[in-house]
Amino acid sequence: MLMRTDPFREFDRLAQQVFGPTRPAAMPMDAYRSGDEFVVHFDLPGIDPETIELDVERNVLNVRAERRGPAPEGAELIVAERPTGSFTRQLFLGDTLDADRVDASYDAGVLTLRIPVAEAAKPRRIQITGGDSRKQLSS
């Protein structure tokens, strides 16, 4: 059985109930480029995938997820250290990314987004013609 032993934790809990959370809930992320796509990982352990919302508006990607409390209604909560509620994060996507083709997956508490580089932003080879080719075209 779990016992409450820290009296200050009880004050923190009361302050959160009265004044709301003192800081926004964290949604840690890693991001990197791999070839022709950017990959972003968000840590969202214990999140029901049905509560995850993704939307893109004017190159701003919004991620929202919700974690509900584990105790059923009417149960006496003994310890509540894991954050609950809504988690949000915004990513500002550059014009070089294709925001229309974002791919999202959720596995083992990690939300993974794959954002391809836009075709117009990919490097391309430009062929150079020499002086001899002009002479051949004009004759």
Side-chain angles (χ1 to χ4, degrees):
M1 177 172 183
L2 297 174
M3 303 288 290
R4 285 186 271 190
T5 57
D6 184 359
F8 297 108
R9 182 172 294 145
E10 197 63 28
F11 287 124
D12 288 342
R13 185 185 63 78
L14 269 171
Q16 274 193 336
Q17 285 179 347
V18 174
F19 302 112
T22 55
R23 60 179 169 81
M27 187 187 296
M29 78 171 195
D30 292 330
Y32 55 89
R33 182 173 178 163
S34 178
D36 286 339
E37 69 181 359
F38 277 85
V39 181
V40 183
H41 299 287
F42 294 98
D43 280 349
L44 295 170
I47 299 288
D48 180 1
E50 297 291 319
T51 69
I52 300 173
E53 296 177 15
L54 296 172
D55 62 74
V56 178
E57 184 177 346
R58 296 185 183 171
N59 285 0
V60 177
L61 177 85
N62 295 297
V63 182
R64 184 182 179 283
E66 186 175 336
R67 181 186 296 134
R68 297 179 185 101
E73 190 155 333
E76 180 185 356
L77 196 56
I78 306 299
V79 178
E81 294 180 348
R82 296 175 38 204
T84 58
S86 291
F87 302 83
T88 59
R89 189 85 186 241
Q90 285 187 327
L91 294 179
F92 295 92
L93 306 178
D95 292 333
T96 59
L97 298 178
D98 190 350
D100 294 331
R101 294 182 29 220
V102 175
D103 179 57
S105 62
Y106 182 76
D107 185 42
V110 178
L111 174 65
T112 300
L113 305 180
R114 297 184 180 281
I115 310 165
V117 173
E119 286 298 321
K122 290 182 182 177
R124 61 186 185 280
R125 185 179 268 298
I126 299 171
Q127 187 164 345
I128 302 171
T129 57
D132 292 342
S133 63
R134 285 189 209 166
K135 290 179 184 176
Q136 291 174 356
L137 291 174
S138 60
S139 26

